[in-house]
Amino acid sequence: MRICMVSDFFYPSIGGVEEHVYNLAQMLLSLGHKIVVLTHAYGDCSGIRYVTHGLKVYYLPIKVCYNQCILPTAVCNVPMLRAVLLRERVEIVHGHSAFSALAHEALMVGSLLGLKVTVFTDHSLFGFADLSAALTNNLLEVNLSMVNHAICVSHIGKENTVLRARVAKHRVSVIPNAVDTALFTPDASQRPSNDTINIVVASRLVYRKGIDLLAGVIPRFKNTHNVNFIIVGDGPKRDLLEEIREKTNMQDRVEIVGAVEHVKVRDVLVRGHIFVNTSLTEAYCMAIVEAASCGLQVVSTSVGGIPEVLPKSLILLAEPDIDAIHSAILVAIDRHQKSISSMIRTPASNGHIPSETDRRGMRRQRRKNHSAPDPVSWSQTGCSTPADESSQIEPVLCPYRCNELVETLYNWEDVALRTVRVYDRVRQERAFTISELVNAVYQHGSWFLGFFVVSHFLVRLLDLWRPRSRVEAAQDVARQHS
């Protein structure tokens, strides 16, 4: 299959959508499909680029309007999008993110070109009350009326999309994100050797990520001198965190790293014992999965799709409230201290910490069995022993067991295979006719009908001016094997 992934969000920008598009494209390439990525130019990064394994990326010369998104004109970019889709002989257009105007426009152009398969992946949750959400929901409703199938990353995300976009639930599938557990591996040697406990936060520093809650939690640990915070990320709320750090005189205990490349996030995560997520809304949250893969205890707000992401053995959930988050962190600290005490009191049964070769062998066996491992305490891996049975504090899992558990739950091969099944199912359906598209747009957003009609006649005019048969097909570059 010849697939075109479209989104305003792609590398060199950093984020969950960017990582999802890249990793899914890489896995589909390895399965033998032809993949191209469409995004807008990022500064000097423009034109056609080839990245890992020969993945072809079109950085279109379109100006960014707001928050890395282009201006949603619905008409101006039709000639360029048509040329790329025809040149690459695209069979499937797959748009990503409800925020991406480029994805919406490419899906519309794909429908006008008569492509049988148009798929959209929604990565976010939206409300219904405020003006911005109402406008976005209306745009998404119109867009999905022209799309064959939609994919959400969680079940709560599916419910949200079905309600706000008024799309039939049988046209929406749930395929979660995944994480490269070979990249996000534990390394306990990077943690402090004394009794210091590092709490890591990795997030965009914006209101939606609950940074105001974090700013209320940090002062609670002012007098707990063995607890430090490491904050990764940047955004408008960074000034608030720096102000709190100054007011509480915790300059030496609150480290604000700033934005880092995604490949370097693991180097920060392995320094921590506990990972804290304070988001106010999340459809999935890749950060908590990456932290769990690195062996950290995860403390997170119980919002959106987060409760369905990780098993209870890997996460402590709290209401989006300062007191609740603080209490959950104290439980995580208590669990960590009890496990350390038990390790000192009761040495491991064989005194053996698994080597990297041992862990790779166990990982291959887990993947071969295709079954999630049972929660295993530190004593069963030679890392530590659980707390006393009389204690109500649950044992902390061995970091390497956490990594194996995450690998069995979320891997990109499974995500790619499930996505291909969606493609295959939709390919059995017939393409929408122009009359069906006009009717669907009119039913879901008559205000958009004018833009759609102009785009349709522009495509017809381009077919007359430069027939599809005269569009030179791009040459396929042989995939580079690592």
Side-chain angles (χ1 to χ4, degrees), residues 355-380:
S355 65
E356 185 61 33
T357 302
D358 296 334
R359 293 194 293 272
R360 284 198 296 266
M362 290 188 291
R363 185 179 296 118
R364 285 194 297 268
Q365 186 62 37
R366 296 287 185 188
R367 293 290 296 275
K368 182 177 179 181
N369 294 338
H370 293 284
S371 60
D374 296 328
V376 182
S377 64
W378 284 31
S379 62
Q380 292 171 278

Side-chain angles (χ1 to χ4, degrees), residues 390-404:
S390 59
S391 173
Q392 296 181 354
I393 303 299
E394 296 182 4
V396 177
L397 300 187
C398 171
Y400 301 106
R401 287 298 188 191
C402 294
N403 181 268
E404 292 170 2

Side-chain angles (χ1 to χ4, degrees), residues 168-427:
K169 61 181 180 181
H170 69 271
R171 292 178 53 211
V172 184
S173 298
V174 177
I175 302 177
N177 277 319
V179 63
D180 187 354
T181 53
L183 175 63
F184 289 90
T185 54
D187 185 1
S189 65
Q190 299 300 314
R191 296 177 175 178
S193 57
N194 52 23
D195 63 346
T196 299
I197 297 175
N198 283 340
I199 298 176
V200 179
V201 178
S203 167
R204 284 191 290 269
L205 305 184
V206 296
Y207 173 78
R208 186 175 69 86
K209 294 295 184 178
I211 303 305
D212 296 274
L213 296 177
L214 179 64
V217 169
I218 291 176
R220 301 287 184 94
F221 293 92
K222 177 180 180 180
N223 297 320
T224 311
H225 298 287
N226 67 324
V227 175
N228 295 338
F229 286 84
I230 304 174
I231 302 173
V232 180
D234 207 348
K237 290 289 183 179
R238 176 168 180 165
D239 292 340
L240 173 62
L241 294 179
E242 291 178 344
E243 180 182 353
I244 292 297
R245 181 174 62 175
E246 296 296 325
K247 285 184 176 180
T248 56
N249 198 27
M250 297 175 67
Q251 293 90 338
D252 58 335
R253 294 172 49 206
V254 178
E255 178 184 354
I256 302 179
V257 180
V260 300
E261 296 180 14
H262 186 257
V263 294
K264 298 181 180 179
V265 171
R266 181 258 179 187
D267 296 336
V268 180
L269 289 176
V270 295
R271 294 170 54 193
H273 304 85
I274 300 168
F275 182 87
V276 174
N277 171 59
T278 57
S279 292
L280 301 178
T281 175
E282 287 284 358
Y284 180 83
C285 192
M286 282 290 297
I288 63 173
V289 183
E290 293 170 350
S293 182
C294 289
L296 281 72
Q297 291 189 78
V298 177
V299 175
S300 176
T301 48
S302 180
V303 297
I306 289 178
E308 62 186 81
V309 174
L310 292 174
K312 293 181 179 179
S313 56
L314 296 180
I315 190 170
L316 292 169
L317 296 173
E319 292 298 316
D321 175 78
I322 294 176
D323 291 333
I325 296 171
H326 176 244
S327 299
I329 294 175
L330 292 180
V331 172
I333 292 174
D334 201 8
R335 289 178 60 181
H336 172 74
Q337 292 175 337
K338 289 287 181 64
S339 296
I340 293 299
S341 299
S342 299
M343 181 179 62
I344 296 174
R345 189 168 57 252
T346 309
S349 57
N350 56 7
H352 171 66
I353 297 179
S355 65
E356 185 61 33
T357 302
D358 296 334
R359 293 194 293 272
R360 284 198 296 266
M362 290 188 291
R363 185 179 296 118
R364 285 194 297 268
Q365 186 62 37
R366 296 287 185 188
R367 293 290 296 275
K368 182 177 179 181
N369 294 338
H370 293 284
S371 60
D374 296 328
V376 182
S377 64
W378 284 31
S379 62
Q380 292 171 278
T381 61
C383 297
S384 177
T385 58
D388 296 336
E389 294 182 1
S390 59
S391 173
Q392 296 181 354
I393 303 299
E394 296 182 4
V396 177
L397 300 187
C398 171
Y400 301 106
R401 287 298 188 191
C402 294
N403 181 268
E404 292 170 2
L405 180 55
V406 171
E407 182 184 25
T408 58
L409 292 173
Y410 303 111
N411 62 83
W412 284 112
E413 182 179 2
D414 177 62
V415 171
L417 291 174
R418 293 168 69 175
T419 304
V420 169
R421 284 199 290 270
V422 170
Y423 296 157
D424 289 335
R425 191 176 90 182
V426 178
R427 289 176 73 187

Side-chain angles (χ1 to χ4, degrees), residues 65-85:
C65 174
Y66 173 73
N67 197 24
Q68 299 181 9
C69 293
I70 67 170
L71 181 67
T73 63
V75 175
C76 296
N77 300 314
V78 169
M80 191 184 308
L81 294 173
R82 172 188 177 272
V84 173
L85 296 181

Side-chain angles (χ1 to χ4, degrees), residues 34-221:
K34 169 64 178 179
I35 311 294
V36 295
V37 176
L38 260 65
T39 187
H40 59 72
Y42 282 89
D44 295 334
C45 187
S46 62
I48 300 175
R49 304 291 180 94
Y50 287 89
V51 297
T52 309
H53 296 153
L55 175 61
K56 190 175 186 178
V57 184
Y58 282 83
Y59 288 97
L60 303 179
I62 307 175
K63 294 292 185 180
V64 173
C65 174
Y66 173 73
N67 197 24
Q68 299 181 9
C69 293
I70 67 170
L71 181 67
T73 63
V75 175
C76 296
N77 300 314
V78 169
M80 191 184 308
L81 294 173
R82 172 188 177 272
V84 173
L85 296 181
L86 293 179
R87 174 178 165 80
E88 294 293 341
R89 293 161 288 162
V90 170
E91 301 173 280
I92 299 169
V93 179
H94 190 162
H96 292 265
S97 180
F99 292 107
S100 175
L102 184 62
H104 294 316
E105 293 185 7
L107 289 167
M108 182 187 69
V109 173
S111 298
L112 290 173
L113 290 175
L115 298 184
K116 290 183 63 175
V117 183
T118 50
V119 178
F120 175 78
T121 296
D122 195 356
H123 295 263
S124 305
L125 293 178
F126 285 87
F128 301 88
D130 59 283
L131 179 60
S132 62
L135 293 174
T136 304
N137 293 345
N138 198 259
L139 177 62
L140 185 65
E141 181 180 343
V142 174
N143 179 260
L144 291 188
S145 70
M146 298 181 285
V147 172
N148 298 99
H149 204 83
I151 297 173
C152 294
V153 295
S154 64
H155 291 280
I156 194 70
K158 176 179 178 178
E159 294 179 12
N160 183 261
T161 299
V162 168
L163 288 173
R164 64 191 173 93
R166 294 198 297 175
V167 59
K169 61 181 180 181
H170 69 271
R171 292 178 53 211
V172 184
S173 298
V174 177
I175 302 177
N177 277 319
V179 63
D180 187 354
T181 53
L183 175 63
F184 289 90
T185 54
D187 185 1
S189 65
Q190 299 300 314
R191 296 177 175 178
S193 57
N194 52 23
D195 63 346
T196 299
I197 297 175
N198 283 340
I199 298 176
V200 179
V201 178
S203 167
R204 284 191 290 269
L205 305 184
V206 296
Y207 173 78
R208 186 175 69 86
K209 294 295 184 178
I211 303 305
D212 296 274
L213 296 177
L214 179 64
V217 169
I218 291 176
R220 301 287 184 94
F221 293 92

